[in-house]
Amino acid sequence: APGAEFSGGCLFTKHKPKERLLSDFGLHFPLYSMNKNCFLCDLPFDDQNVKSSREHIIPQSIGGRDKVAGFICETCNRNKGNEWDNKLAQQLGQLSLLFKIKKERTEVRALKIETSAKKKYLVKNDGSIALTQPYFNDSKQLEGNRVEISIKANDEKEAIAQIMRAKKKYPKLETEKYLEQVKMRESYIDEHFIFSTGQLNDEPCEKSLVKTAISLAIKYGVPPEKCDYAKKYITGESEQYCFGYFYETDLILNRPQGVPLHCVFIKGDSNNRVLWAYIEYFSVHRGLVCLSTSYEGGNFQEYYAINPKTAQKVNNLEFFPLSISKELLINIIQENKQSIQKIEEILHTIIPVQLSEDSENEYQRVLSKSINAAFKNCGAKEGEIIQGQHINKLVDSLLEELTPWINHNIKK
């Protein structure tokens, strides 16, 4: 998978949805109208056995918020979410951690990520890192039949457990003395993390992408039968793929700088008789989806875009007026080629912004933590005026707390 080594919205329409009719399709039914059957299993919606769900357009596992009703049933939502969307989230998991996305429910799961020194650490959504497991080493022999024991732990509980492990192996060890000395200190690693951008060209990920494109079309009132090409693929009736990577043209003309954008764009093109979609995730993965090659409706386009870091919609995007024939669209999908060079260029526009934000956030966190610890340890009681005897303790504590951060930045 393409990797990178690092050091360290929606303008839907100006009209009210309830007033807009898709008469371009030769039909007259309101936007957001409910379909009668589940798009995937084709069972009719009812109040008993087959209930309509509110499906996320962009999967909530990568930061999506907006939903569409009357698209798929609750069972298909649950099953295909586990089968398709979870696979997509796994592939994009490291990017989700890197950009610290905001999910509607729960946080992004911590992942084991390797460094340039071939070591693995557990990277968490808040940017902190932890050991994948406690470290215990007693292999170093010293003079006088003594052994040096080295212990690293993520918290006090782990540290105490490792000391007791040492006691079990070396009964004469004075554990009480070491237990009293346990003190947790933050530290930084010197090597770089290597993040993977992931791959979306396996079947579960591609079906998740196609489902996203269809869901936006359905939300804007496109009749399900107009997405015939995509439906045959997503339901298994056809083996003709619907998604292909696309980096030839940046379709977003006024792209927000430094934002790892999620965007879904659909276009009905009556001249070429195609209904297609463009999808990008984290600005890195960009591709086209074929919804229909026999489209007979009018010309239209709609989109939904968000900044996954803030979960806010991105409005007023302008798109390149791409006109694409059926033959070219199918050819792009069949080739399905990623551009490593283009991905690297994209990463160079969004990674520095993220690293700068991370650096500032870490500075503010360390400074606040250090100041609070210094006042707590200086000996002055709450509400008491700081006296001369408190100042030295305050300064010493402040320097002790700040030293790891200062040393790390000097090394950088």
Side-chain angles (χ1 to χ4, degrees):
E5 183 170 318
F6 312 122
S7 55
C10 186
L11 180 63
F12 289 127
T13 175
K14 293 182 180 179
H15 306 284
K16 294 180 180 179
K18 64 181 181 180
E19 297 175 350
R20 186 164 183 246
L21 302 176
L22 291 184
S23 55
D24 281 344
F25 288 99
L27 300 169
H28 291 270
F29 63 85
L31 205 61
Y32 306 112
S33 67
M34 294 283 289
N35 297 309
K36 295 181 180 180
N37 292 42
C38 172
F39 188 90
L40 295 177
C41 68
D42 207 34
L43 292 174
F45 294 129
D46 57 46
D47 295 330
Q48 301 298 322
N49 301 316
V50 184
K51 296 182 179 180
S52 172
S53 68
R54 289 181 56 78
E55 166 73 353
H56 286 84
I57 296 174
I58 293 173
Q60 75 87 22
S61 55
I62 60 170
R65 296 295 177 95
D66 275 24
K67 304 171 185 177
V68 57
F71 172 39
I72 60 177
C73 67
E74 290 181 346
T75 300
C76 288
N77 187 335
R78 180 174 59 254
N79 292 344
K80 299 312 177 185
N82 291 334
E83 183 181 351
W84 300 342
D85 295 344
N86 284 357
K87 180 67 174 179
L88 180 87
Q90 289 172 16
Q91 288 295 317
L92 298 177
Q94 294 194 21
L95 287 177
S96 296
L97 279 176
L98 176 64
F99 292 110
K100 300 170 181 60
I101 69 169
K102 289 188 177 180
K103 293 172 57 179
E104 190 174 31
R105 302 189 299 269
T106 72
E107 291 186 347
V108 177
R109 184 169 59 91
L111 295 174
K112 294 179 182 179
I113 300 181
E114 192 170 76
T115 70
S116 54
K118 304 298 182 182
K119 297 178 182 178
K120 287 188 176 181
Y121 293 91
L122 195 65
V123 180
K124 302 180 181 180
N125 192 51
D126 61 0
S128 63
I129 63 174
L131 299 170
T132 57
Q133 59 185 15
Y135 174 83
F136 181 96
N137 190 317
D138 61 350
S139 61
K140 189 173 181 179
Q141 299 292 325
L142 303 177
E143 293 181 3
N145 199 28
R146 294 181 303 151
V147 175
E148 180 180 279
I149 301 174
S150 178
I151 291 174
K152 293 180 182 178
N154 288 315
D155 52 42
E156 238 178 88
K157 184 178 179 181
E158 280 189 0
I160 292 172
Q162 293 304 303
I163 292 174
M164 299 312 295
R165 173 185 174 184
K167 173 69 173 178
K168 188 175 182 180
K169 190 170 183 179
Y170 303 100
K172 294 183 179 181
L173 186 68
E174 298 178 10
T175 53
E176 293 77 12
K177 178 176 67 175
Y178 295 108
L179 288 172
E180 292 176 359
Q181 294 175 359
V182 170
K183 183 178 181 181
M184 302 307 298
R185 299 177 185 272
E186 292 183 348
S187 61
Y188 296 87
I189 62 171
D190 296 328
E191 58 264 32
H192 305 162
F193 280 105
I194 299 176
F195 282 82
S196 169
T197 59
Q199 285 281 2
L200 305 186
N201 55 3
D202 63 356
E203 187 173 287
C205 291
E206 289 194 0
K207 287 193 172 182
S208 176
L209 290 161
V210 174
K211 177 169 65 71
T212 286
I214 298 170
S215 68
L216 186 63
I218 296 296
K219 180 164 185 173
Y220 279 100
V222 177
E225 61 269 19
K226 296 292 182 180
C227 302
D228 54 328
Y229 190 96
K231 182 169 185 176
K232 288 179 181 178
Y233 168 71
I234 204 171
T235 58
E237 296 179 36
S238 169
E239 295 183 356
Q240 294 289 334
Y241 291 112
C242 284
F243 171 82
Y245 279 110
F246 181 75
Y247 294 94
E248 296 299 318
T249 303
D250 188 348
L251 294 191
I252 301 177
L253 298 176
N254 58 340
R255 178 179 298 278
Q257 297 301 306
V259 176
L261 199 66
H262 287 350
C263 179
V264 190
F265 170 85
I266 58 171
K267 182 172 182 177
D269 183 348
S270 61
N271 295 327
N272 290 300
R273 298 192 63 198
V274 291
L275 178 64
W276 57 272
Y278 166 78
I279 297 180
E280 71 172 61
Y281 288 149
F282 293 107
S283 295
V284 174
H285 295 278
R286 304 178 183 183
L288 301 182
V289 175
C290 178
L291 299 175
S292 177
T293 57
S294 57
Y295 175 68
E296 295 181 347
N299 295 325
F300 80 100
Q301 63 183 45
E302 301 287 355
Y303 79 92
Y304 165 50
I306 62 169
N307 179 349
K309 293 166 58 172
T310 62
Q312 298 297 310
K313 292 181 180 178
V314 179
N315 296 309
N316 303 317
L317 292 183
E318 298 175 5
F319 290 85
F320 180 82
L322 180 66
S323 177
I324 188 167
S325 67
K326 176 180 72 174
E327 293 74 20
L328 180 56
L329 179 59
I330 297 302
N331 184 61
I332 291 170
I333 289 171
Q334 289 176 343
E335 287 188 355
N336 193 23
K337 293 194 324 188
Q338 278 187 297
S339 170
I340 304 303
Q341 179 182 351
K342 186 62 179 177
I343 289 174
E344 289 178 351
E345 291 175 3
I346 294 168
L347 290 172
H348 283 303
T349 66
I350 56 179
I351 294 297
V353 175
Q354 184 62 45
L355 293 180
S356 178
E357 291 178 4
D358 289 345
S359 180
E360 176 61 24
N361 290 338
E362 177 64 3
Y363 166 71
Q364 294 296 337
R365 185 194 70 83
V366 171
L367 185 62
S368 176
K369 177 176 176 292
S370 300
I371 291 173
N372 289 336
F375 278 100
K376 181 180 178 180
N377 298 329
C378 73
K381 297 180 180 179
E382 186 175 351
E384 182 181 354
I385 297 176
I386 299 294
Q387 303 293 335
Q389 67 270 24
H390 302 136
I391 294 178
N392 287 340
K393 290 183 179 180
L394 191 149
V395 172
D396 289 344
S397 177
L398 189 62
L399 287 175
E400 181 182 3
E401 294 288 336
L402 286 173
T403 294
W405 180 84
I406 292 172
N407 289 339
H408 175 65
N409 280 272
I410 290 174
K411 290 178 182 179
K412 287 171 60 179

